[in-house]
Amino acid sequence: MADKVCVGAIAGSFGVRGEVRLKSFCATPEDVATYGPLTTEDGSRSFDLRITRPVKAGFAARLSGVTTKEEADALRGTRLFAPRSALPSLPDDEYYHADLIGLSVQDTGGQPRGKVSAVLNHGASDLLELRVPGQKGTVLVPFTLEVVPTVDLAQGRIVIDPPEGLFDD
């Protein structure tokens, strides 16, 4: 998966002529159409994508090989991936979510705090979801410079300065 990045997902069909409702995960949402062809996570299918119009919470789009509402409906929930080489380079203080998932996390005192299992965004800012050894659930860490002063991709680690009470020690 290191050579692919999730750039969007199919939310279902749009209309009756095989269009899909597409949610883009790109900083500039329309760019999802420029990174093709896009593939499914397992690489078993590949699609050329053409945005036909904006719709609420995304776009209506045509995917190559999808011509009926039933075919579009069958793709609901499918995540679309672009080759990493097709994506632009990022400034030093920006990261693709795919680069953060799996990194080990320690606090500023060097104590291990877990691994990043997901990067979430519910509108305000990104949150790192951590799997913490010995805990059933996960811990959500605000992905801000104040709380996450260091991201070291070369060393595969993130250093956090967690707010008091975030971890039950």
Side-chain angles (χ1 to χ4, degrees), residues 114-136:
K115 287 193 179 238
V116 178
S117 62
V119 181
L120 310 171
N121 187 306
H122 297 288
S125 65
D126 288 336
L127 297 168
L128 300 178
E129 182 177 24
L130 304 185
R131 292 253 176 243
V132 180
Q135 276 189 238
K136 266 184 149 176

Side-chain angles (χ1 to χ4, degrees), residues 12-27:
S13 64
F14 186 82
V16 295
R17 295 195 171 103
E19 285 180 290
V20 298
R21 182 179 300 273
L22 177 71
K23 182 173 182 178
S24 174
F25 302 144
C26 300

